[in-house]
Amino acid sequence: MVRSIILYGTGLAGAAFLLEWLNYKHVVHRWSTEFYIACIAVLCVALGIWAGNRLTARPRQAFVRNDAAIAELGISPRECEVLNMLAAGHANKVIARQLDISPNTVKTHVARVYEKLAVTSRTQAVQKARTLDILP
């Protein structure tokens, strides 16, 4: 915050010095209005480019699964598959159909994932898995 204030203060002081150096009244009569409009336009474009670079979100890096967290929590590959499908919003029956297992097995996997992540709902499980970089 202090750095920004110092930067803006320095910029304003520089602009004030520049105006005084140009002897503003003398220059206004000698140069045309189009020149001033062009200078203001260039300043606005520069400010827009700077603000755009500062305020826009940076692209996210490619997802890298945190295998250390998976190993530490003891999550099996099948539980990872179930967790991915939970994150996609699938119901237990859909997960069972796609993984070729029974719905009771899916319930067991989901319960174990809840236990290993120390959560009580699907939303919490997905959120914690994303926090630990288990899910993209």
Side-chain angles (χ1 to χ4, degrees):
M1 180 76 173
V2 173
R3 183 178 177 188
S4 298
I5 293 171
I6 291 173
L7 216 102
Y8 287 124
T10 305
L12 285 173
F17 177 76
L18 182 66
L19 286 176
E20 189 62 31
W21 182 70
L22 289 174
N23 194 1
Y24 184 72
K25 289 181 182 180
H26 177 67
V27 174
V28 167
H29 293 294
R30 295 196 57 130
W31 290 348
S32 67
T33 306
E34 289 83 11
F35 174 76
Y36 293 110
I37 292 172
C39 287
I40 291 171
V42 167
L43 286 173
C44 288
V45 167
L47 180 64
I49 291 171
W50 175 82
N53 284 334
R54 293 280 292 187
L55 299 177
T56 55
R58 301 285 180 239
R60 190 172 177 188
Q61 296 176 353
F63 175 72
V64 178
R65 186 178 297 266
N66 187 354
D67 293 326
I70 292 172
E72 183 180 322
L73 293 171
I75 299 174
S76 70
R78 184 60 108 179
E79 289 169 347
C80 282
E81 287 178 294
V82 170
L83 189 57
N84 282 329
M85 296 188 81
L86 284 177
H90 296 300
N92 286 353
K93 288 182 180 181
V94 175
I95 295 171
R97 243 183 270 127
Q98 289 185 357
L99 295 179
D100 239 2
I101 55 178
S102 76
N104 288 332
T105 306
V106 173
K107 287 180 189 177
T108 303
H109 286 310
V110 170
R112 286 186 182 160
V113 167
Y114 286 179
E115 184 180 314
K116 291 175 182 180
L117 291 175
V119 296
T120 57
S121 71
R122 290 173 180 247
T123 309
Q124 289 175 350
V126 170
Q127 184 178 18
K128 187 157 185 182
R130 286 191 174 134
T131 303
L132 295 172
D133 286 332
I134 296 171
L135 292 175

